[in-house]
């Protein structure tokens, strides 16, 4: 009787490990999507920490806030505060008009 209990406990442990390793499936049988929204750390505004100003002529600093396709990255990806995000987007738009930054990636 003790052997049966030990075998059942061992079988439960193996099945739990297999469940953890196998990808989770939703109702349609497709693998569940991973949740990329949760981050292990909080992003802080670079401009608030450094107490620096945003200038449209500083192209190297502005390129960090532009995606590969040429779009302006949102706050949740860059970590800037609302005030500085508005200033960054204005500076990027001014740099585009002054042809310092391309409107669209090639």
């Amino acid at each position: 009787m003790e052997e049966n209990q030990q075998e059942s406990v061992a079988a439960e442990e193996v099945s739990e490990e297999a469940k953890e390793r196998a990808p989770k499936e939703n109702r349609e049988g497709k693998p569940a999507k991973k949740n990329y929204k949760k981050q292990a750390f909080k992003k802080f505004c670079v401009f608030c920490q450094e107490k620096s100003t945003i200038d449209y002529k500083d192209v190297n600093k502005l390129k960090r806030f532009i995606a590969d396709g040429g779009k302006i990255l949102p706050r949740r990806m860059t970590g800037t505060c609302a005030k500085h995000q508005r200033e960054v987007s204005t500076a990027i738009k001014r740099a585009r008009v002054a042809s310092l930054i391309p409107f669209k990636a090639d």
Side-chain angles (χ1 to χ4, degrees), residues 43-92:
K43 294 184 179 182
F44 294 102
C45 180
V46 178
F47 301 106
C48 289
Q49 285 181 343
E50 297 176 358
K51 301 205 186 300
S52 62
T53 59
I54 302 167
D55 189 19
Y56 73 95
K57 293 175 271 186
D58 192 4
V59 178
N60 293 329
K61 191 181 282 188
L62 293 178
K63 281 187 179 180
R64 294 183 1 201
F65 301 98
I66 300 174
D68 294 335
K71 290 186 176 183
I72 299 172
L73 293 174
R75 284 180 53 203
R76 66 178 178 271
M77 292 180 74
T78 59
T80 57
C81 63
K83 174 185 171 185
H84 288 115
Q85 180 67 24
R86 286 191 298 271
E87 292 179 11
V88 164
S89 63
T90 306
I92 289 172

Side-chain angles (χ1 to χ4, degrees), residues 19 22-33:
K19 287 179 185 176
K24 296 180 181 179
E25 294 185 1
N26 58 11
R27 292 181 200 144
E28 293 89 33
K30 297 177 184 175
K33 293 182 180 178

